[in-house]
Coordinates of all heavy atoms in Angstrom, one line a residue:
P1 N 0.8 -1.2 0.0 CA 0.0 0.0 0.0 C 0.8 1.3 0.0 O 0.5 2.3 -0.6 CB -0.8 -0.1 1.3 CG -0.2 -1.2 2.1 CD 0.5 -2.1 1.2
L2 N 2.0 1.2 0.7 CA 2.9 2.4 0.6 C 3.5 2.6 -0.7 O 3.6 3.8 -1.2 CB 3.9 2.3 1.7 CG 3.4 2.4 3.1 CD1 4.6 2.2 4.1 CD2 2.8 3.8 3.4
A3 N 3.8 1.6 -1.5 CA 4.3 1.7 -2.8 C 3.2 2.2 -3.8 O 3.5 3.1 -4.6 CB 4.8 0.3 -3.3
V4 N 2.0 1.8 -3.6 CA 0.8 2.3 -4.4 C 0.7 3.8 -4.1 O 0.5 4.6 -5.0 CB -0.5 1.5 -4.1 CG1 -1.7 2.2 -4.7 CG2 -0.3 0.1 -4.6
L5 N 0.7 4.2 -2.8 CA 0.6 5.6 -2.4 C 1.8 6.4 -3.1 O 1.5 7.5 -3.6 CB 0.6 5.7 -0.9 CG 0.6 7.2 -0.4 CD1 -0.7 7.8 -0.8 CD2 0.8 7.2 1.1
A6 N 3.0 5.9 -3.0 CA 4.1 6.6 -3.6 C 4.0 6.8 -5.1 O 4.2 7.9 -5.6 CB 5.4 5.9 -3.2
A7 N 3.5 5.7 -5.8 CA 3.3 5.8 -7.2 C 2.2 6.8 -7.5 O 2.3 7.6 -8.5 CB 3.0 4.5 -7.8
G8 N 1.2 6.9 -6.7 CA 0.1 7.8 -6.9 C 0.5 9.2 -6.7 O 0.2 10.1 -7.4
V9 N 1.4 9.5 -5.7 CA 1.9 10.8 -5.4 C 2.8 11.3 -6.6 O 2.7 12.4 -7.0 CB 2.6 10.9 -4.1 CG1 3.4 12.2 -3.9 CG2 1.6 10.7 -2.9
A10 N 3.6 10.4 -7.0 CA 4.5 10.7 -8.2 C 3.7 11.0 -9.4 O 3.9 12.0 -10.1 CB 5.5 9.5 -8.4
G11 N 2.7 10.2 -9.7 CA 1.8 10.4 -10.8 C 1.0 11.7 -10.7 O 0.9 12.5 -11.7
A12 N 0.5 12.0 -9.5 CA -0.2 13.2 -9.3 C 0.7 14.4 -9.5 O 0.3 15.5 -10.0 CB -0.8 13.2 -7.9
G13 N 2.0 14.3 -9.0 CA 2.9 15.4 -9.2 C 3.2 15.7 -10.7 O 3.2 16.9 -11.1
Y14 N 3.3 14.6 -11.5 CA 3.5 14.9 -12.9 C 2.2 15.4 -13.5 O 2.2 16.4 -14.3 CB 3.8 13.5 -13.6 CG 4.0 13.7 -15.1 CD1 5.0 14.3 -15.7 CD2 3.0 13.2 -16.0 CE1 5.1 14.5 -17.1 CE2 3.0 13.4 -17.3 CZ 4.1 14.0 -17.9 OH 4.2 14.2 -19.2
L15 N 1.1 14.9 -13.1 CA -0.2 15.4 -13.7 C -0.5 16.8 -13.3 O -1.0 17.6 -14.1 CB -1.3 14.5 -13.2 CG -2.7 14.8 -13.7 CD1 -2.8 14.7 -15.2 CD2 -3.8 13.9 -13.1
Y16 N -0.1 17.2 -12.1 CA -0.3 18.6 -11.7 C 0.3 19.6 -12.7 O -0.3 20.7 -12.9 CB 0.2 18.8 -10.3 CG -0.2 20.2 -9.7 CD1 -1.4 20.3 -9.2 CD2 0.7 21.3 -9.8 CE1 -1.8 21.6 -8.7 CE2 0.3 22.5 -9.3 CZ -1.0 22.6 -8.7 OH -1.4 23.9 -8.2
V17 N 1.5 19.3 -13.2 CA 2.1 20.2 -14.1 C 1.9 19.9 -15.6 O 2.5 20.5 -16.5 CB 3.6 20.3 -13.8 CG1 3.9 20.8 -12.4 CG2 4.3 19.0 -14.0
T18 N 1.1 18.9 -15.9 CA 0.9 18.5 -17.3 C -0.6 18.5 -17.5 O -1.4 17.7 -17.0 CB 1.4 17.0 -17.5 OG1 2.7 17.0 -17.1 CG2 1.2 16.6 -18.9
D19 N -1.1 19.5 -18.4 CA -2.5 19.6 -18.7 C -2.9 18.6 -19.7 O -2.6 18.6 -20.8 CB -2.8 21.0 -19.2 CG -4.2 21.3 -19.4 OD1 -5.0 20.4 -19.2 OD2 -4.6 22.5 -19.7
P20 N -3.7 17.6 -19.3 CA -4.2 16.5 -20.2 C -5.2 17.0 -21.2 O -5.5 16.3 -22.2 CB -4.8 15.5 -19.3 CG -5.2 16.2 -18.1 CD -4.2 17.3 -17.9
H21 N -5.7 18.3 -21.0 CA -6.6 18.9 -22.0 C -5.9 19.3 -23.2 O -6.5 19.6 -24.3 CB -7.4 20.0 -21.4 CG -8.2 19.6 -20.2 ND1 -9.4 19.0 -20.4 CD2 -8.0 19.8 -18.9 CE1 -10.0 18.8 -19.2 NE2 -9.1 19.3 -18.2
Q22 N -4.5 19.5 -23.1 CA -3.7 19.9 -24.2 C -2.9 18.8 -24.8 O -2.5 17.9 -24.1 CB -2.7 21.0 -23.7 CG -3.4 22.2 -23.0 CD -4.3 22.9 -24.0 OE1 -4.0 23.1 -25.1 NE2 -5.5 23.4 -23.5
P23 N -2.6 18.8 -26.1 CA -1.8 17.8 -26.7 C -0.3 18.0 -26.3 O 0.1 19.0 -25.8 CB -2.0 18.0 -28.2 CG -2.4 19.5 -28.3 CD -3.1 19.8 -27.1
G24 N 0.5 16.9 -26.6 CA 1.9 17.0 -26.4 C 2.4 16.5 -25.1 O 3.5 16.9 -24.7
H25 N 1.7 15.7 -24.4 CA 2.1 15.2 -23.1 C 2.4 13.7 -23.2 O 2.1 13.1 -24.2 CB 1.0 15.5 -22.0 CG -0.3 15.0 -22.4 ND1 -0.7 13.7 -22.5 CD2 -1.4 15.7 -22.8 CE1 -1.9 13.6 -22.9 NE2 -2.4 14.8 -23.0
V26 N 2.9 13.1 -22.2 CA 3.3 11.7 -22.2 C 2.3 10.9 -21.4 O 2.6 9.8 -20.9 CB 4.7 11.5 -21.6 CG1 5.2 10.1 -21.8 CG2 5.7 12.5 -22.2
L27 N 1.1 11.4 -21.2 CA 0.1 10.6 -20.5 C -0.5 9.5 -21.4 O -0.7 9.7 -22.6 CB -1.0 11.6 -20.0 CG -0.6 12.7 -19.0 CD1 -1.7 13.7 -18.9 CD2 -0.2 12.0 -17.7
P28 N -0.8 8.3 -20.8 CA -1.3 7.3 -21.7 C -2.7 7.5 -22.1 O -3.5 8.2 -21.4 CB -1.3 6.0 -20.7 CG -1.3 6.6 -19.3 CD -0.6 8.0 -19.4
Q29 N -3.0 7.0 -23.3 CA -4.4 7.1 -23.8 C -5.2 5.8 -23.4 O -4.5 4.8 -23.2 CB -4.4 7.3 -25.3 CG -3.7 8.6 -25.7 CD -4.3 9.2 -26.9 OE1 -5.2 8.6 -27.5 NE2 -3.7 10.3 -27.4
C30 N -6.5 5.9 -23.4 CA -7.3 4.8 -23.1 C -7.2 3.7 -24.2 O -7.6 4.1 -25.4 CB -8.7 5.2 -22.9 SG -9.9 3.9 -22.6
P31 N -6.8 2.5 -24.0 CA -6.7 1.5 -25.0 C -8.1 1.2 -25.6 O -8.2 0.9 -26.8 CB -6.1 0.3 -24.4 CG -5.9 0.6 -22.9 CD -6.3 2.0 -22.7
F32 N -9.1 1.1 -24.7 CA -10.5 0.8 -25.2 C -10.9 1.9 -26.2 O -11.5 1.5 -27.3 CB -11.4 0.8 -24.0 CG -12.8 0.4 -24.4 CD1 -13.2 -0.9 -24.6 CD2 -13.8 1.3 -24.6 CE1 -14.5 -1.3 -25.0 CE2 -15.1 1.0 -24.9 CZ -15.4 -0.3 -25.1
R33 N -10.7 3.1 -25.9 CA -11.1 4.2 -26.8 C -10.3 4.2 -28.1 O -10.8 4.5 -29.2 CB -11.0 5.6 -26.1 CG -11.6 6.7 -27.0 CD -11.7 7.9 -26.2 NE -12.5 8.9 -27.0 CZ -12.7 10.1 -26.6 NH1 -12.2 10.6 -25.5 NH2 -13.3 10.9 -27.4
L34 N -9.0 3.9 -28.0 CA -8.1 3.8 -29.2 C -8.7 2.7 -30.2 O -8.6 2.9 -31.4 CB -6.7 3.5 -28.8 CG -5.9 4.7 -28.3 CD1 -4.5 4.2 -27.8 CD2 -5.7 5.7 -29.3
V35 N -9.1 1.6 -29.6 CA -9.6 0.5 -30.5 C -11.0 0.7 -31.0 O -11.3 0.5 -32.1 CB -9.5 -0.8 -29.7 CG1 -10.1 -2.0 -30.4 CG2 -8.0 -1.2 -29.4
T36 N -11.9 1.2 -30.1 CA -13.3 1.2 -30.4 C -13.8 2.6 -30.8 O -14.8 2.8 -31.4 CB -14.2 0.7 -29.3 OG1 -14.1 1.6 -28.2 CG2 -13.8 -0.7 -28.9
G37 N -13.1 3.7 -30.3 CA -13.6 5.0 -30.5 C -14.7 5.4 -29.5 O -15.2 6.5 -29.5
L38 N -15.0 4.5 -28.6 CA -16.0 4.7 -27.5 C -15.3 5.1 -26.2 O -14.2 4.7 -25.9 CB -16.9 3.5 -27.4 CG -17.7 3.1 -28.6 CD1 -18.4 1.7 -28.4 CD2 -18.7 4.1 -29.0
L39 N -16.1 5.8 -25.3 CA -15.6 6.1 -24.0 C -15.8 4.9 -23.1 O -16.9 4.3 -23.0 CB -16.3 7.3 -23.4 CG -16.2 8.6 -24.2 CD1 -17.1 9.6 -23.6 CD2 -14.7 9.1 -24.1
C40 N -14.8 4.5 -22.3 CA -14.9 3.4 -21.3 C -15.4 4.1 -20.1 O -15.5 5.3 -20.0 CB -13.6 2.7 -21.1 SG -12.4 3.6 -20.0
P41 N -15.8 3.3 -19.1 CA -16.3 3.9 -17.8 C -15.3 4.8 -17.1 O -15.7 5.7 -16.4 CB -16.7 2.7 -16.9 CG -16.9 1.6 -17.9 CD -16.0 1.9 -19.0
A42 N -14.0 4.6 -17.3 CA -13.0 5.4 -16.7 C -12.5 6.6 -17.5 O -11.7 7.4 -17.1 CB -11.9 4.6 -16.2
C43 N -12.9 6.6 -18.8 CA -12.4 7.7 -19.7 C -12.7 9.1 -19.0 O -13.8 9.3 -18.5 CB -13.0 7.6 -21.1 SG -12.2 6.5 -22.2
G44 N -11.7 10.0 -19.1 CA -11.9 11.3 -18.5 C -11.3 11.3 -17.1 O -11.3 12.4 -16.5

């Protein structure tokens, strides 16, 4: 659980300075949406 927390904090730190609304970031895209073009329950 502490490793999950540390990974979450690191991810949140990167996300805080990286606007996912703008192109040109290294954030992963939803594989379901890439394949189907539809939004999965977690998209967004």
Side-chain angles (χ1 to χ4, degrees):
L2 290 174
V4 169
L5 178 64
V9 168
Y14 177 74
L15 181 59
Y16 188 82
V17 297
T18 306
D19 186 352
H21 298 284
Q22 303 298 323
H25 51 72
V26 190
L27 297 169
Q29 296 211 2
C30 174
F32 183 81
R33 189 167 186 187
L34 283 173
V35 172
T36 66
L38 299 171
L39 298 171
C40 80
C43 275

